[in-house]
Amino acid sequence: MKEFGYQRAFDVPGAVALLGADPDARYLGGGTNLVDLMKTGVERPAGLIDVRELPLNDIEVTESGGIRIGATVTNSDLAAHPEVRRRYPALAQAVLAGASGQLRNMATVGGNLLQRTRCGYFADVAKPCNKRSPGSGCPAIEGEHHNHAILGASAHCVATHPSDMGVALSAFDAVVSYETADGPGELPIADFYLPVGDTPHLETALPPGALITGVTLPPTPVAAVSRYRKVRERASYAFAIGSLAAALDVRNGLVHDVRLAFGAVASRPWRAREAEAALCGGPATAEAFAAAADAELAAAEPLPDNAYKVTLIRNLVVSVLTELTESTEPSASTDPTDPTDPSEGATR
């Protein structure tokens, strides 16, 4: 690991000023992704600015009925918060699916959003990778790619974004707040992650030096009837090979409102707007759910070894939406955020 400096910030302006004085430094939250990449030589910051002590660890219900989540809130606290579990159960489920208890105790909301989109070639500094070294190539296209992107990829990168939390936030139109030396700003999560295009090394639309200060979820009544379902290759904690955040409001057999976001299929959480548009106002049936999934997945461009993801995501959409249709509220005998539920997965 390259030698690096270390400073601790105790207020937001101070943190922003420290990074402004050393642009090659990085903010450090829980470090569950950044420090791992530093150990392998993928990330080589000149210094770390510890932001864990910033006063950004509150979760509060907004006046409009949404929820604001501070950037240094841990994943454990987020998943356990009663208002998150009540208003946005799919978010709590996604966080619980995302890592072991030890990692959730360390990982922060801001850091989770900034996880690098990555694959095994990115993590191996002996291999070429356009994300690490623009122009060096993407060996995954001709090499190992069974868990790579089927939507929104390019010839420059086919890696997938690993965040479970990000998928649920995308389904519910979260807004990311940040602070820079020029003042505060906001980014809808739909604009937060950049398309991979020919610049896969550029992952977010955050301005240089920006510090994430929080995430706001707008009031979303349909989110109260939502689920996060994750498929993984082993029973222990692993990255998803496909996941779905879904919310559904059915009235008189017709879809009144629906939210869908896919995970592990693109370089960013994938909001399934084509599928949503196909469902709204139509019948809440398995046939309609399958047709909507097909409408979204028509744009898929799988590689030879990951075409299975098209069928996997289609089946997830049908299964989860059928369950939500059959039961508009959680069973009294089952905690919908219980991480031991065999239908829920995990990551890492």
Side-chain angles (χ1 to χ4, degrees):
M1 183 187 293
K2 173 188 171 183
E3 288 189 4
F4 59 90
Y6 173 86
Q7 300 179 81
R8 179 173 291 177
F10 295 97
D11 57 62
V12 170
V16 172
L18 286 172
L19 191 65
D22 186 2
D24 291 329
R26 295 284 300 276
Y27 295 123
L28 175 71
T32 57
N33 181 211
L34 175 59
V35 173
D36 280 349
L37 294 177
M38 290 172 63
K39 290 177 180 177
T40 60
V42 174
E43 294 277 7
R44 298 171 60 83
L48 296 178
I49 300 167
D50 192 333
V51 297
R52 284 296 293 264
E53 299 301 320
L54 299 185
L56 301 172
N57 61 345
D58 290 331
I59 300 174
E60 56 187 5
V61 176
T62 64
E63 291 184 2
S64 62
I67 288 182
R68 176 170 171 79
I69 306 160
T72 62
V73 169
T74 66
N75 286 8
S76 290
D77 287 345
L78 177 63
H81 196 278
E83 290 300 320
V84 173
R85 294 163 69 96
R86 184 171 72 87
R87 297 169 187 258
Y88 306 90
L91 175 57
Q93 294 166 14
V95 173
L96 289 172
S100 67
Q102 294 94 326
L103 285 173
R104 291 198 302 270
N105 288 341
M106 290 294 297
T108 63
V109 168
N112 190 298
L113 289 172
L114 292 175
Q115 288 186 82
R116 298 298 305 271
T117 298
R118 58 197 189 271
C119 74
Y121 294 104
F122 172 78
D124 185 350
V125 294
K127 299 289 197 301
C129 172
N130 284 325
K131 293 182 71 63
R132 280 189 288 100
S133 179
S136 63
C138 178
I141 293 175
E142 299 295 333
E144 165 55 45
H145 56 246
H146 85 282
N147 196 21
H148 286 59
I150 60 171
L151 290 166
S154 77
H156 300 275
C157 182
V158 291
T160 56
H161 195 270
S163 174
D164 295 282
M165 184 186 78
V167 180
L169 292 178
S170 295
F172 304 139
D173 298 312
V175 176
V176 180
S177 301
Y178 62 85
E179 188 80 21
T180 70
D182 296 325
E186 291 185 340
L187 279 169
I189 199 159
D191 301 325
F192 181 80
Y193 295 109
L194 296 173
V196 63
D198 59 0
T199 55
H201 59 293
L202 302 177
E203 296 180 0
T204 79
L206 283 173
L211 172 70
I212 293 177
T213 54
V215 177
T216 301
L217 287 160
T220 311
V222 70
V225 183
S226 63
R227 290 185 184 175
Y228 183 76
R229 181 68 50 79
K230 178 175 181 177
V231 179
R232 64 219 200 279
E233 293 182 320
R234 60 178 188 264
S236 60
Y237 289 100
F239 289 121
I241 58 173
S243 66
L244 171 69
L248 186 66
D249 180 1
V250 175
R251 303 181 187 182
N252 300 317
L254 299 178
V255 176
H256 180 71
D257 195 5
V258 61
R259 305 296 173 90
L260 298 169
F262 303 158
V265 297
S267 64
R268 51 184 174 167
W270 188 270
R271 181 69 177 272
R273 297 191 184 277
E274 291 286 339
E276 292 176 355
L279 285 170
C280 278
T285 63
E287 293 76 16
F289 300 153
D294 289 341
E296 189 70 41
L297 294 166
E301 295 182 342
L303 296 165
D305 297 332
N306 70 356
Y308 72 91
K309 287 194 175 189
V310 175
T311 302
L312 187 155
I313 295 297
R314 184 181 193 267
N315 290 344
L316 275 178
V317 170
V318 174
S319 175
V320 174
L321 290 182
T322 298
E323 291 176 12
L324 290 173
T325 301
E326 293 172 349
S327 177
T328 58
E329 58 186 24
S331 166
S333 62
T334 303
D335 181 348
T337 61
D338 184 354
T340 64
D341 181 343
S343 70
E344 303 301 335
T347 181
R348 293 185 180 78

